[in-house]
Amino acid sequence: MTMILSRRAILAAGALLAAPTPLRAQGAMRLLVIGGGFGGASAASFARRSYPDVQVTLVEPQRAFVTCPYGNLLLGGERQISQITHSYDGLRARGVTLVHDRAAGIDAAAKTVRLAGGQTLAYDRLILSPGIALRWGAIEGYDQAAADVMPHAWIPADGAQTLLLRRQLEAMPDGGVVGLAIPGNPFRCPPGPYERISMIAHYLKRHKPRSKIIALDAKEGFSKQGLFQDGWRALYGDMIEWVPGNRDGKVVKIDVAERVLETEFGTRHKVDVANVIPPQSAAALAAETGLVNDSGWVPVNTRTFEARAAQGIHVIGDANIPGPMPKSGYVANTTAKQAVASAVALHRGQTPPEAVYFNTCYSHVGENYGISVVGIFRPNADGTAITEVPNSGGVSPRGDLPEQRRAEAIYADAWYDSITRSMFG
Amino acid sequence: MRPNALRGSILALALAALPMAARAQAPLAAEGCLGCHGPDGRGVTGAGAINGRDRAELIAIMLAFRANERPGTIMGRIARGYTEAEIAAVAEHFSRIR
């Protein structure tokens, strides 16, 4: 409230000191945000904090948000679902209008969004943060029904998929085999599958130490690979077998009844618990609006995050293809702010701000054992691409560094606490 | 007299409100810090507070991280991504938040 009053005082002072400006003639800018995850919640919160004179509406079907980050710690037995579930009450208290409904269609020309419940919302600028869709059928035999037996646990929704995988791990006998199918790039959270392997191993080591994990990967390398593999050897011995794509690691077929993951060259891996992370694309709404290209993701302006295919629609979060930036929660958060600042500037006929994007992504490998990757990114001079700032960022140092690992595990918790507060507080 | 008095009081009001305005218009480079150091850089358990510290001190710390002259786990990697102008703007911003 104090901030709003102060802001008004500034506006009033400005209006009186300079020539009279028809500040109110245009009416308040209507910023509509679709999707209440890392991108959308960050956008709505930032917009209210930075532009108290802008009306912010957030459309999100769910009443609470379960984070992808720290879902792996739930699998490891280190977190409960309530600790990774966040309500929208903080955003409501900040002055965001919450509409708990599903966006059914966007009319970019008319600047309206049709909701499944029948309502139509008009906007001046749209921040679209729709997330990902799982490409059902990209792996033969893996459809929505299969996910009830072999969970993906990659779109948390209400948490059911993550909880299902946890229950299966708990029910598995000691000596069982956990199989993972990991997709090719790009996908949500590049280090996520490997943190997941680590946290499942963390659980098994304590409770079912004769068990094994086989990770079948479509890729030949992965994010923070050396650090992860160092940690696996040090903490879990030979419990984890990672099979890269060039050693027949690519899963192409699923046999749900037999609990078999079948690879490109016909090797059938029988497992007790299967976690299938299928290939992904931008969520259906982005495709239906005509925003995606052949890759299945949304190309965007590197500075404003406006979709290349539609003016006035800024696409943030995992649905876009932001050059070398990973599909991470932090990137969704940082680009949300740039997109909102750009949307407001463009609505006011001003130049969008210079852009600098930031990512820190932590992974837990074991107890008191965290690793990270940092990236700072900027659009290039002509705005055609985003590039990483040379000589910056990078991964944690390798080697036997227990204090570094311990500190980064603590920083990871600080990151989770801070970023969720910045989204929902 | 009256318009001048009014103008003076409005100016005073505007100046009094300046720190808030600065907060509302934080440089976007400073927003990157909040993802770990908490709202307004006030710190959370595990990530120290960076608000309300002397501007020159904050700049010196960041430059030392950037030059690998200050031990750190990840701040060196971060500081090397920002320009001196951005570091100055970020330091100015957090130094004003009490």
Side-chain angles (χ1 to χ4, degrees):
Chain A
M1 185 52 106
T2 314
M3 184 148 82
I4 293 169
L5 288 175
S6 305
R7 180 82 183 179
R8 280 182 185 154
I10 295 281
L11 288 173
L16 284 168
L17 288 171
T21 317
L23 275 178
R24 301 188 58 80
Q26 299 171 342
M29 175 187 174
R30 295 163 303 177
L31 188 72
L32 181 57
V33 183
I34 295 180
F38 272 78
S42 299
S45 177
F46 175 74
R48 288 301 305 159
R49 279 189 283 122
S50 300
Y51 306 99
D53 48 333
V54 171
Q55 286 180 11
V56 182
T57 302
L58 174 61
V59 175
E60 165 57 48
Q62 299 192 127
R63 300 274 165 175
F65 179 69
V66 180
T67 59
C68 289
Y70 275 61
N72 289 330
L73 275 82
L74 184 148
L75 297 176
E78 297 293 321
R79 289 291 186 283
Q80 299 295 317
I81 192 77
S82 61
Q83 295 172 298
I84 60 168
T85 304
H86 302 267
S87 94
Y88 292 100
D89 291 346
L91 288 179
R92 205 175 275 114
R94 204 175 265 288
V96 176
T97 303
L98 261 294
V99 179
H100 288 299
D101 200 347
R102 190 175 58 80
I106 299 169
D107 186 334
K111 293 191 170 181
T112 57
V113 171
R114 184 170 46 81
L115 304 182
Q119 197 183 354
T120 297
L121 302 176
Y123 63 83
D124 294 309
R125 288 262 159 185
L126 178 63
I127 304 286
L128 179 59
S129 187
I132 57 167
L134 301 175
R135 288 173 48 207
W136 302 115
I139 299 174
E140 188 184 338
Y142 196 68
D143 55 15
Q144 221 155 345
D148 291 338
V149 183
M150 296 179 167
H152 55 77
W154 215 244
I155 297 178
D158 60 358
Q161 278 279 307
T162 315
L163 290 169
L164 174 60
L165 183 53
R166 170 68 190 172
R167 283 198 304 275
Q168 291 181 345
L169 292 169
E170 286 171 333
M172 188 184 81
D174 189 9
V177 176
V178 179
L180 287 91
I182 302 171
N185 291 321
F187 63 97
R188 163 180 282 174
C189 190
Y194 313 97
E195 184 190 59
R196 176 165 292 180
I197 291 166
S198 309
M199 285 296 100
I200 292 175
H202 170 72
Y203 167 71
L204 295 176
K205 182 182 173 184
R206 287 186 170 184
H207 301 283
K208 293 157 192 187
R210 295 192 295 116
S211 307
K212 297 282 181 196
I213 298 170
I214 182 159
L216 302 165
D217 203 329
K219 300 181 296 302
E220 291 167 20
F222 57 87
S223 174
K224 308 179 217 172
Q225 182 170 349
L227 288 161
F228 270 115
Q229 290 181 320
D230 290 348
W232 292 346
R233 271 189 297 273
L235 300 172
Y236 309 116
D238 59 356
M239 179 181 274
I240 299 163
E241 183 187 357
W242 174 70
V243 185
N246 60 355
R247 284 177 40 216
D248 197 21
K250 185 180 181 184
V251 173
V252 296
K253 191 174 176 183
I254 301 286
D255 186 334
V256 175
E258 295 292 323
R259 289 189 189 272
V260 165
L261 307 176
E262 187 174 327
T263 57
E264 215 170 3
F265 297 102
T267 312
R268 289 170 61 84
H269 296 271
K270 176 133 175 101
V271 300
D272 296 284
V273 172
N275 171 214
V276 179
I277 306 166
Q280 299 151 27
S281 65
L285 183 62
E288 289 159 8
T289 312
L291 305 180
V292 305
N293 66 9
D294 290 344
S295 71
W297 305 96
V298 180
V300 289
N301 180 300
T302 57
R303 197 168 170 201
T304 63
F305 278 74
E306 208 165 6
R308 298 272 185 201
Q311 275 195 333
I313 303 177
H314 303 256
V315 181
I316 56 171
D318 297 336
N320 62 26
I321 30 173
M325 292 197 287
K327 297 185 184 302
S328 74
Y330 217 136
V331 166
N333 178 273
T334 188
T335 55
K337 293 165 180 175
Q338 179 70 16
V340 167
S342 299
V344 173
L346 290 167
H347 180 71
R348 292 173 178 170
Q350 298 164 353
T351 307
E354 288 300 319
V356 55
Y357 306 118
F358 180 73
N359 182 51
T360 293
C361 171
Y362 290 101
S363 304
H364 289 275
V365 184
E367 194 173 15
N368 296 321
Y369 198 119
I371 57 176
S372 65
V373 58
V374 172
I376 297 103
F377 305 87
R378 298 172 194 277
N380 64 2
D382 62 6
T384 53
I386 291 173
T387 56
E388 190 161 6
V389 178
N391 191 37
S392 72
V395 297
S396 313
R398 287 179 73 176
D400 183 25
L401 302 166
E403 280 313 307
Q404 168 104 17
R405 309 289 177 242
R406 187 181 159 76
E408 294 209 38
I410 295 167
Y411 296 163
D413 295 349
W415 171 84
Y416 186 83
D417 191 13
S418 291
I419 203 156
T420 52
R421 278 197 217 175
S422 113
M423 289 159 60
F424 297 106
Chain B
M1 281 306 285
R2 194 170 165 75
N4 279 343
L6 180 64
R7 183 171 295 184
S9 67
I10 289 168
L11 262 179
L13 187 61
L15 287 172
L18 260 181
M20 277 300 185
R23 276 173 63 176
Q25 293 161 359
L28 283 167
E31 288 287 335
C33 311
L34 307 183
C36 293
H37 288 279
D40 287 335
R42 294 179 190 279
V44 297
T45 307
I50 51 174
N51 69 304
R53 298 181 70 161
D54 181 67
R55 176 182 178 277
E57 182 199 8
L58 284 172
I59 292 174
I61 290 171
M62 283 291 276
L63 292 180
F65 274 130
R66 203 163 68 151
N68 259 342
E69 289 165 357
R70 186 184 172 97
T73 45
I74 76 159
M75 277 308 301
R77 284 180 267 161
I78 294 167
R80 281 190 288 280
Y82 290 98
T83 64
E84 284 183 20
E86 282 167 344
I87 287 172
V90 167
E92 172 74 21
H93 170 68
F94 286 113
S95 71
R96 283 168 175 261
I97 300 174
R98 299 287 165 182

